[in-house]
């Protein structure tokens, strides 16, 4: 469904679809731009107020009718902001409004102007409590997707690093970032993950990454081992990307999903990256053998404790 060139018609449609009468945090603001009626829709709390105020001040100073000849001309010459786009699909515009974008309708334009001036409530990128290291960086992932991708980009300044944006969930429309280095990752695995995300039909990612994990690799009772590795450290995620792995970031989650994963990856910890290769490998092998020893020796000890007659005489 496309938008109308009549602002009043668009206001009526979006007020009804967004239920502005009952939702106090959905704000619509009417204004006059160069003699034309206009209206803005946005979510209170998702918008940088100072930036929007400066943009509105610029709008009130426009008096050249040539600059309002079309939506394309207006978006390129009249908006003093970098992240601006055009869209005419009602469903897409509704999703973008609820994601935090500011949507502007202008009388006579066949497209709406999207201004990405959103900001999300977030905590600082402090070091994760679970993945502390003796050496290395002290930052960690947070619940904001864009900031998490920026933490990875800061470490890998390689044009071959791809960060694909996807959405999953018919109701939640949760943002997902698929990160990989095309020249190093397994293309067949990458295509499989991409196809499963695009073709899955679920209502919402209720438990964030755990729900996504069930979508990608449904749980199988005969395989008790983890299918993914999780980390809250951007340096660990960057190291795994450079090794050819694929990283999945989910909005509202401070963890990165890494796949494929092996048993050797599961016993790895953040400190191993900051030791020499020989030392890190030795520590991982020690953890692996300790885990296997614990897994096998403990039940045998309990069994012989319950049945002392089975203990060999030389023991």
């Amino acid at each position: 469904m496309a938008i109308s060139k009549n602002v009043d018609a668009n206001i009526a449609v979006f007020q009804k679809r967004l239920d502005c009468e009952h939702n106090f945090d959905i704000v619509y603001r009417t204004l006059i731009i160069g003699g034309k009626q206009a209206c803005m829709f946005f979510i209170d709390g998702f918008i940088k107020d100072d930036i929007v105020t400066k943009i509105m001040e610029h709008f009130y100073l426009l008096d050249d009718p040539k600059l309002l000849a079309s939506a394309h001309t207006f978006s390129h010459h009249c908006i003093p902001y970098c992240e601006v786009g055009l869209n005419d699909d009602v469903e897409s515009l509704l999703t973008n409004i609820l994601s935090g974008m500011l949507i502007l309708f202008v009388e006579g334009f066949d497209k709406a102007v999207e201004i990405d001036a959103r900001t999300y409530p977030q905590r600082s990128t402090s070091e994760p409590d679970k993945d502390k290291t003796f050496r290395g960086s002290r930052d960690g992932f947070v619940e904001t997707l864009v900031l998490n991708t920026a933490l990875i980009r800061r470490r890998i300044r390689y044009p071959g690093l791809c960060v694909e944006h996807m959405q999953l969930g018919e109701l939640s429309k949760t943002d997902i970032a698929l990160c990989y280095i095309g020249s190093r990752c397994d293309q067949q695995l990458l295509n499989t993950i991409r196809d499963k995300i695009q073709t899955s039909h679920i209502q919402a990612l209720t438990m964030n990454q755990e729900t996504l994990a069930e979508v990608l690799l449904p749980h199988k009772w005969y395989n008790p081992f983890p299918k993914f590795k999780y980390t809250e450290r951007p340096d660990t995620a960057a190291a795994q990307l450079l090794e050819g792995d694929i990283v999945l970031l989910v909005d509202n989650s401070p963890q990165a999903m890494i796949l494929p994963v092996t048993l050797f990856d599961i016993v790895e910890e953040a400190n191993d990256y900051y030791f020499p290769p020989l030392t890190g490998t030795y520590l991982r092998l020690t953890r692996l053998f300790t885990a296997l020893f614990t897994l096998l020796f403990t039940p045998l000890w309990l069994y012989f404790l319950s049945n002392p007659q089975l203990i060999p005489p030389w023991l």
Side-chain angles (χ1 to χ4, degrees), residues 158-162 179-187 190 241 244-245:
Y158 175 57
L161 173 62
C162 296
C179 310
Y180 60 91
I181 298 178
S183 59
R184 298 196 174 194
C185 70
D186 185 348
Q187 293 297 322
L190 175 63
L241 283 169
D245 292 336

Side-chain angles (χ1 to χ4, degrees), residues 13-151:
V13 170
F14 279 78
Q15 280 184 336
K16 180 178 180 181
R17 295 292 302 273
L18 296 171
D19 197 7
C20 294
E21 182 179 353
H22 298 98
N23 291 313
F24 76 95
D25 57 339
I26 298 179
V27 181
Y28 69 95
R29 172 78 159 79
T30 58
L31 64 159
I32 302 297
I33 302 177
K36 289 189 174 184
Q37 184 182 1
C39 180
M40 298 187 303
F41 280 87
F42 57 91
I43 302 292
D44 190 16
F46 280 175
I47 291 293
K48 303 172 185 176
D49 295 337
D50 53 344
I51 293 178
V52 176
T53 301
K54 291 181 180 179
I55 293 175
M56 292 179 62
E57 290 176 356
H58 183 77
F59 286 162
Y60 287 129
L61 297 176
L62 294 176
D63 56 1
D64 188 355
K66 295 180 180 179
L67 296 177
L68 284 84
S70 66
H72 180 80
T73 304
F74 177 77
S75 64
H76 280 72
H77 299 283
C78 300
I79 303 178
Y81 195 71
C82 52
E83 299 181 57
V84 179
L86 299 174
N87 196 345
D88 62 352
D89 183 67
V90 171
E91 297 300 327
S92 177
L93 289 170
L94 287 170
T95 301
N96 291 338
I97 291 174
L98 296 173
S99 297
M101 287 190 183
L102 184 148
I103 305 300
L104 174 67
F105 300 101
V106 181
E107 186 70 28
F109 289 178
D110 57 352
K111 294 180 182 293
V113 180
E114 298 175 331
I115 303 176
D116 193 354
R118 53 187 164 181
T119 181
Y120 294 129
Q122 64 185 32
R123 57 186 175 87
S124 63
T125 57
S126 57
E127 185 178 16
D129 295 331
K130 292 178 61 178
D131 294 336
K132 291 183 178 296
T133 59
F134 300 113
R135 291 178 289 181
S137 60
R138 292 290 188 267
D139 55 353
F141 288 130
V142 294
E143 287 77 11
T144 306
L145 183 65
V146 175
L147 187 54
N148 290 340
T149 57
L151 290 173

